[in-house]
Amino acid sequence: MSVLEVRNLQTHFFTDAGVVKAVDGVDFALNEGEVLGLVGESGSGKSVTGFSILRLVDPPGRVVGGQILFRGQDLAQLPASEMRRLRGNKIAMIFQDPMMTLNPVLRIDTQMIEAVRAHDKVSAKAARDRAISALSKVGIPSPAERLDAYPHQFSGGMRQRVAIAIALLNGPDLIVADEPTTALDVTIQSQILAEVQDLARDTGTALIWITHDLAVVAGLADRVAVMYAGRIVETGQTDDVLTTPGHPYSVGLLGSIPGHGQRGERLTQIPGMAPNMAHLPPGCAFAPRCFNADERCRTDAPGIEDMERVRQLRCHHPLTKAGGTP
Amino acid sequence: MTEMPTPIPLRDRTVDALPWLVTAAMTLATFALAFGPDWSSLPARVLMLIGFVAISAHLLRGRGRQFFNGPVAYVAAGSLLLLVVLALFANEIAPQNPYDLRQLDIMDGRLPPGSTTFDGAMTYHLGTDEQGRDILSGILYGLRVSLSVAIIATLVAMAIGVVVGIYAAWAGGRVETILMRLVDLQLSFPSILVALMLMAAFGRGLDKVVIALIIVQWAYYARTVRGTALSEARKEYIDAARGLGLPVRRIIFRHLLPNCIPPLLVISTVQIANTIVLESSLSFLGVGVPITRPSLGLLIANGYDYMLSGQYWMSMYPGVALLAIVASINLVGDRLRDTLNPRLRK
Amino acid sequence: MLVYLLRRIAQSIFVALAMMVIVFFGIYMIGNPVDILISPDATPREIEETMARFGFDQPIYIQFLTFVGNALQGDLGRSFVHGESAVTLILHYMPATLELAALGLIFSVLIGIPLGVYAGYKADRWQGRAIMTGSIFGFSLPNFWVGMLLILIFAVELRWLPSTGRGDTVDVFGIRLSIFSENGLQYMILPALTLALYKASLVTRLARAGTQEALVQDYVKFARAKGVSETRILFVHVLKNIMIPILTVLGLELGSMIAFAVVTETVFAWPGMGKLLIDSILTLDRPVIVAYLMMTVLIFIVINLVVDIVYTILDPRVRVTGGAG
């Protein structure tokens, strides 16, 4: 059964320079315990998608259309007070920069206990015990003492572990992780990845892992969705997408990972820059940067097409043939 | 093909001499009129009103819509204009000349609002004070004293501050350090305390109040101007002017100075309101303007003794006038800051 | 840290000395104190005797050195009017002013913080704008005007609170204080509110700016993602962050509060050192004026030092660099 089903999600930003359609018709579903990697460049709308699910888009942004069905209940229509009761309880989120997400002037125990007590009317002592067990789960040594510390007394990696522990506190059904390892050192990044993978498997929590790095997704996600200019351009099983990418943009993303190609070969780059979201081209948004684009790409936007093995593509000239094997 | 170097503009703002000339003329006129006999020259006062409107219009040219963004802005600007007109033309509007003792009748002392003279020839709309002076007339003349003292003190302090600030920024080194330490020292004490001390030393008097208010304020402008001048001096157009071998005097007066003044305008608007408050506080405490030329603060102080016995009008109405002038200047200043400050504009 | 502290203390001593010079030459050299001390019809011999008794016949630098020497021993002369030591006189009146300023500071925080935080939360709505316009009025209203209005409303019309004077006091370690007696507190409310209004507007503006800045921070968004209520976010997460700068500013403003008490005390006939100062100015009682000034300078210097030190203690981030973490 699917935990989350997002249908035609549209989140727009109403700026002075015009309406920016940061998320423009995103669909995907997520089963219990499944890990979805949401991949794209900065500005592709992947983070806004994550924030939209928790209804945490800052003004001037607003979810203007679509459904966000969490266990069949449409979050987009939920009153603010009920949404608050879901956040941090059934749906948790981990942010990108661990240096910014913890309040610098509040002790860790305050920030963890309030997360428990916002949802469960338990005693401060019980909440504290739950905080200690969550901290030890994410691998923080002597958690009982560390609870009395302030965030600045932790390193970046440790702070992100605390943030993950906070997300786990109430045993959520879904965690949205917005590039949680991007700001960390590579060694710590892989440790945290491994831990999160174990935790998700043990608890059966579904996970949306937002990243710009396909290499991160490779070892972690069951399925991948590649976003470009506010839309999902390709989804499928992680192995399928990584080995036989169907969209030229996915190919470009894969080409820029070191170690994927041959030794000594130059890393390929996607030519051009991420599009100006306030003025998207009329046809396929990727057409100006695509090696394979023709006249049709520049005038009509391609629709989403089903391929074999739960694969979907949004391209006039897919590199894998519909229905066939590559 | 070789690229043409873009010419560096000698000034980064078009400088208009007109508003500064008008400001200077108005200062002199205010000065002459405030200390001269009874502000009798009507043409001079009409000219001042025109000058006031001209400066306001010049400041807001092209930005009217931004300034008038809501009802508060209209009310504030409207009441400010009204109060300035009332102060300027008090001679013509006031039913009585409160400075002319022959017009006062001690028998009419402390009459409540709406009373009439014995012969019924004149109505005291806002009542009378203990000497039988019409409160309304007292307010109109007091408004003029409050406004002119504040405007003169603010403009002169601004001039001194500009000179010191630019000199400090231009001279640098030890001169700058000493001047700015002095500024810091003075600004670390509340203005009311400094002003009180000065008045304690000087004794009360119209000219002494003005001098005290100038001394209290100059440091504030000096600090602001030095800041602006330092950041302006780093910009390309000053380097360009220096590179052209222009004389220092010309660079300062034609290039540096005009660019330092716009931020000061906003500050000085609000500062006029602060000065009115400070002067009225001094006068209320009995160390400000002389009894012969009561400002709003002194009128309030005079009536204060009677307030507890229920004869509220002697203090209350001058108080309302004081609130109106100070609040409207502050509200206009707040709008000006939002409208003119390029950093805040998006 | 220690070096910083020593440098701050050295700076303070310099300021105190500079003020001593300014005060001496400013107050003592303008006008002739003999005119006040002696009746106009005194004989030239009497005048000479008085001049010699007060040392006014000495050259200026000798007078100055005598002044500094006496000041360092805590002697700033005798009041011409009261005949008492000026320092003793000031110390006698000081507690009334300090407790008034303290209550005023408390009021300004209690009024300013909730208004400012709410205005920051509703910055683009009419509520936020209304509070900001209101704070302009708070800045505009002259101190004595507010006091007058409060007396008119609460003492004359409604008769809820006493109008002027001090009321009962309680002796605390030999100091007479009103704040601990119910009757005394009633007398304090109106003057303290008057004194608080300007600072409350300042706190409102600071709190609003701080709240606006804090609300866009990630930690607020993260707190929302935890499901924490908006009230708790505002009054725990945001408030704790903006309190430190606000308290710093307020600490520094305590000095100006004492200075502004001059006006408030006159309006409410509150027997503090501000009222003493005004009376002394009106009677040209120079030693008391000088003593008031020097004591105020001292209070200012101490406040600045204490605020600096407290600031380093309050902020956990600064504390760690001090080596206490």
Side-chain angles (χ1 to χ4, degrees), chain A residues 51 54 56-58 84 87-89 91-95 97 100-106 110-112 114-115 118-119 150 152-153 163 166-167 170, chain C residues 215-230 232-233 236-242 244 314-321 324-325:
Chain A
F51 283 118
L54 275 96
L56 282 177
V57 182
D58 287 323
R84 183 191 69 71
R87 272 190 223 123
N89 190 15
I91 309 175
M93 185 153 184
I94 307 167
F95 287 45
D97 188 352
M100 310 294 288
T101 45
L102 296 173
N103 192 326
V105 297
L106 296 179
T110 317
Q111 303 193 47
M112 293 192 78
E114 71 175 1
H119 306 287
Y150 285 95
H152 64 83
Q153 290 163 309
I166 289 175
N170 294 308
Chain C
L215 278 176
V216 298
Q217 299 290 322
D218 266 4
Y219 60 76
V220 166
K221 215 172 183 183
F222 188 63
R224 284 192 177 129
K226 291 193 295 191
V228 175
S229 68
E230 289 292 291
R232 190 177 160 88
I233 286 176
V236 175
H237 285 261
V238 170
L239 192 61
K240 192 93 194 274
N241 269 284
I242 62 175
I244 295 166
L314 260 183
D315 193 331
R317 286 161 291 187
V318 180
R319 211 190 308 158
V320 134
T321 52

Side-chain angles (χ1 to χ4, degrees), chain A residues 7-90:
Chain A
R7 288 186 195 152
N8 193 27
L9 177 68
Q10 290 176 318
T11 305
H12 295 179
F13 285 76
F14 299 88
T15 68
D16 294 342
V19 177
V20 173
K21 296 175 177 175
V23 175
D24 192 19
V26 160
D27 302 85
F28 64 87
L30 196 61
N31 290 325
E32 228 155 298
E34 196 179 13
V35 180
L36 172 74
L38 199 56
V39 188
E41 291 170 295
S42 27
S44 60
K46 57 190 194 304
S47 292
V48 178
T49 306
F51 283 118
S52 301
I53 294 169
L54 275 96
R55 293 248 309 269
L56 282 177
V57 182
D58 287 323
R62 213 165 63 221
V63 175
V64 292
Q67 291 176 304
I68 306 162
L69 299 169
F70 177 74
R71 298 204 172 282
Q73 190 177 25
D74 188 3
L75 300 185
Q77 304 299 327
L78 218 54
S81 60
E82 282 181 44
M83 191 63 221
R84 183 191 69 71
R85 255 171 255 147
L86 276 179
R87 272 190 223 123
N89 190 15
K90 296 290 165 215

